[in-house]
Amino acid sequence: MDTSQITVPYGNNAHLPVQKYRDLLRIWEAKTDGKAIYVILGAEIQGRVHYAMPVKNGLYDWIGYSNQVEETRKSFKKKKGLHKNDAELYAEDEILKIKLTSDEFLSGFRKCDRLIPIITAVIYVGADPWDGPRSLFDMMDVYDKRLIPFLNNYKLNIISAADMDEEDFGKFQTDLGLAMQIIKHQKVDADKIIEKTNHRKIDSDAAFFIKEAAKLDLEFERKETKIDMCESLKKKEQRDKITSAVEVYREYGESDEDIIQKIIKKYDVTREFVTSLMSLATK
């Protein structure tokens, strides 16, 4: 779905509505008991803790519901009568035209209309545990507990790699489980976890996510559909060795052509690969 959303000013000094963008917004459809279920799923990917996340996510959700009401209102059609001011709004269900009551007209929403539920998840990819608020109430100091029944809370749905137990990573049905495990151990044991995959190939999107989120400088082509993480790790280690060798050869005054020939012979790589690394190496 379109990830752009219009909202009132928040967190700035603007006097006009501003546009916000969700990281991801999709419609999920499932079948249960013969009935279709539709849910709008949103995701916010956080590399750092956001200490106002309940407000941020809550704002997105309520704007989403507001947009649904507005789209419903726009779907109503106006049937004109014989006189200029003689008109009425009606909803068109299949071929049946239903006149709106005065209350439905003012609401822009019929009594029988329903909203599609919105679920927003926070995907936290930081190496340290999430120490921010997990609900709107966590951001408040309500000293008089008698107020609580009259306050509306908003709870976060957080998927935090750093807060997961090791057995939790096996519960994922996609490569996201491996990605979150590597992210949790990105400071120390990420390479060991990759080696334990035993050349398992994962989706290229998952590999790219691991590379960016866990800040691992892995070596692979984005155009590949499946990525062998062990091979990517080996290529990274080889690239690092070659880069170091280039720097050493240059310190000894070797010409670029001599360096290229020596690297090709020692590491069995292509000329293009060596020249690309040499252009990046410190001169």
Side-chain angles (χ1 to χ4, degrees), residues 14-220:
H15 298 291
L16 296 174
V18 294
Q19 195 166 35
K20 297 286 187 181
Y21 291 88
R22 280 181 179 268
D23 292 335
L24 181 68
L25 198 63
R26 294 185 177 185
I27 289 184
W28 174 68
E29 179 185 1
K31 291 280 188 178
T32 176
D33 297 329
K35 296 181 180 179
I37 294 178
Y38 295 93
V39 177
I40 296 176
L41 297 176
E44 294 297 312
I45 301 175
Q46 292 291 131
R48 303 175 68 126
V49 176
H50 194 309
Y51 292 105
M53 204 69 199
V55 175
K56 180 182 179 183
N57 275 15
L59 182 63
Y60 279 137
D61 288 358
W62 283 109
I63 292 173
Y65 289 127
S66 177
N67 289 341
Q68 288 186 47
V69 173
E70 179 62 16
E71 288 301 313
T72 301
R73 185 193 66 80
K74 289 180 179 178
S75 70
F76 299 150
K77 298 179 180 180
K78 185 171 286 188
K79 180 181 178 182
K80 294 186 177 180
L82 298 175
H83 302 289
K84 183 177 180 180
N85 296 324
D86 182 16
E88 60 187 27
L89 284 177
Y90 67 90
E92 191 167 358
D93 293 336
E94 301 283 337
I95 58 173
L96 182 63
K97 297 178 180 180
I98 305 172
K99 179 181 176 181
L100 271 66
T101 66
S102 59
D103 290 339
E104 290 174 330
F105 170 77
L106 291 174
S107 304
F109 205 74
R110 295 180 301 169
K111 183 178 180 180
C112 61
D113 286 329
R114 293 295 180 267
L115 298 171
I116 300 176
I118 299 174
I119 299 174
T120 299
V122 178
I123 314 298
Y124 174 56
V125 296
D128 298 317
W130 177 274
D131 65 353
R134 292 177 178 266
S135 71
L136 187 60
F137 279 5
D138 288 344
M139 298 177 64
M140 299 180 182
D141 284 328
V142 183
Y143 298 106
D144 191 336
K145 301 305 178 185
R146 292 175 297 177
L147 295 176
I148 291 179
F150 303 99
L151 298 174
N152 292 315
N153 197 9
Y154 180 90
K155 296 181 179 179
L156 293 182
N157 300 303
I158 299 181
I159 301 176
S160 170
D163 293 295
M164 289 183 182
D165 296 326
E166 290 302 314
E167 58 267 23
D168 291 335
F169 299 116
K171 297 176 182 178
F172 288 87
Q173 299 184 39
T174 67
D175 294 325
L176 183 58
L178 174 62
M180 298 301 276
Q181 186 179 23
I182 293 173
I183 288 168
K184 177 176 181 177
H185 299 285
Q186 59 185 277
K187 289 184 176 180
V188 183
D189 298 323
D191 289 358
K192 293 180 180 178
I193 294 171
I194 292 175
E195 290 170 356
K196 288 181 180 179
T197 61
N198 195 26
H199 294 279
R200 164 186 159 192
K201 291 189 176 182
I202 66 172
D203 186 81
S204 60
D205 287 337
F208 187 75
F209 177 66
I210 291 171
K211 179 178 178 178
E212 295 298 316
K215 302 176 182 63
L216 297 177
D217 198 13
L218 299 174
E219 187 75 31
F220 61 84

